Amino acid sequence: MNQKNVSKSALVISAHSADFVWRAGGAIAHHVTRGYQVHIVCLSFGERGESAKLWRQGEMTEEKVKQSRHQEAEAAAAILGASIEFFDLGDYPLSSDRETVLRLADVYRRVLPHFILTHSLQDPYNYDHPRASHLAQEARIIAQAEGYLPGQTVLAAPPVYCFEPHQPEQCNWKPDVLLDITAVWDKKYRAIQCMAGQEHLWEYYTRVALQRGVQAKRNIGITNARDITHAEGFHSIFPRVTEDLA
């Protein structure tokens, strides 16, 4: 089976249940409209470190928080048009073992993504994020190995893009790709509104999208000029192979 013959697909690996919405919701919705099958893996629900509003309600348990974040993430994914699954690895700290890496490698083999979106390789404010990124890289390598589960279709070499961390300057993250999400911004914002447990971030990530939109419009050039208002930034890990530089 040749990977070129399968339908277009993408894989998003999110440390917590809301990360894929803030950082890549536009990219997900955009590629769904272009015919991609986008699949999201949430490694944890963010139940300990990213659900403060829920814990402040009192008489809360970890299971109740997980259930709430699970429902939020599923609703957001449905709006964006993506499928989603949850590994429930726990957060603060996010932990993984050999079985987890192989489980994620199996997802790669199942989805055969044409590109991958995940976290930055560094984040001194949240160690769950780089752990998720390194887990994504390791699983990708295993899914490419001929000796892992011989007979299955081997993953090719899909590009990996790190989506924007909360404080990029401290994470050594620098966008080299700006994706126009103007046409799907309304869809992304509806997905953002599903994240009731982190309502304080709604306006923040609206400002981020507007700022990246300004930068995208500035960099697109006169010949391709169009009215860009919102964009997302990505940092690519591997070099782009091309036949021309236009």
Side-chain angles (χ1 to χ4, degrees):
M1 180 178 176
N2 191 317
Q3 190 169 359
K4 291 183 179 179
N5 294 328
V6 301
S7 60
K8 292 181 178 180
S9 59
L11 181 62
V12 183
I13 299 174
S14 179
H16 311 109
S17 61
D19 288 327
F20 73 90
V21 181
W22 316 127
R23 312 177 198 283
I28 294 168
H30 171 76
H31 284 86
V32 168
T33 64
R34 292 170 62 89
Y36 281 75
Q37 296 178 2
V38 181
H39 186 64
I40 301 161
V41 174
C42 283
L43 299 176
S44 83
F45 296 105
E47 63 271 14
R48 294 177 183 170
E50 305 206 344
S51 303
K53 182 179 178 181
L54 293 172
W55 285 110
R56 289 171 187 152
Q57 293 177 9
E59 297 185 1
M60 189 58 65
T61 66
E62 194 167 284
E63 285 306 312
K64 287 181 180 179
V65 174
K66 284 184 179 182
Q67 183 179 17
S68 179
R69 300 314 304 270
H70 185 285
Q71 292 171 349
E72 291 175 1
E74 282 197 325
I79 289 171
L80 298 174
S83 56
I84 190 168
E85 66 180 286
F86 303 88
F87 275 27
D88 193 12
L89 300 179
D91 71 321
Y92 286 56
L94 179 73
S95 60
S96 65
D97 53 17
R98 183 177 185 274
E99 290 183 0
T100 300
V101 178
L102 297 181
R103 180 182 177 188
L104 187 56
D106 291 341
V107 174
Y108 275 94
R109 286 280 181 91
R110 185 178 81 237
V111 176
L112 293 175
H114 289 71
F115 68 86
I116 298 141
L117 304 180
T118 192
H119 292 269
S120 57
L121 293 170
Q122 298 179 46
D123 190 338
Y125 294 96
N126 192 321
Y127 278 73
D128 286 359
H129 293 163
R131 284 181 180 135
S133 185
H134 286 278
L135 178 59
Q137 303 304 324
E138 186 174 5
R140 175 183 179 272
I141 292 169
I142 294 170
Q144 290 178 281
E146 294 283 352
Y148 177 64
L149 299 179
Q152 287 188 352
T153 301
V154 176
L155 183 71
V160 180
Y161 299 99
C162 300
F163 41 58
E164 185 161 358
H166 193 69
Q167 300 194 55
E169 295 85 357
Q170 277 69 49
C171 299
N172 290 321
W173 180 93
K174 183 179 180 180
D176 53 16
V177 176
L178 294 169
L179 178 68
D180 179 8
I181 63 167
T182 304
V184 294
W185 168 250
D186 288 345
K187 193 172 289 187
K188 175 173 179 174
Y189 192 68
R190 283 195 286 119
I192 283 175
Q193 290 175 304
C194 292
M195 297 299 156
Q198 292 176 284
E199 188 175 352
H200 63 288
L201 292 177
W202 296 5
E203 180 58 30
Y204 178 86
Y205 280 102
T206 298
R207 294 197 304 270
V208 169
L210 288 168
Q211 178 67 13
R212 296 302 178 200
V214 171
Q215 295 169 348
K217 188 171 184 178
R218 181 185 180 94
N219 282 278
I220 196 170
I222 296 175
T223 57
N224 294 317
R226 59 181 182 269
D227 188 20
I228 300 175
T229 59
H230 296 76
E232 288 175 344
F234 298 91
H235 174 90
S236 57
I237 294 180
F238 302 104
R240 175 174 170 243
V241 180
T242 182
E243 295 180 354
D244 63 71
L245 296 175

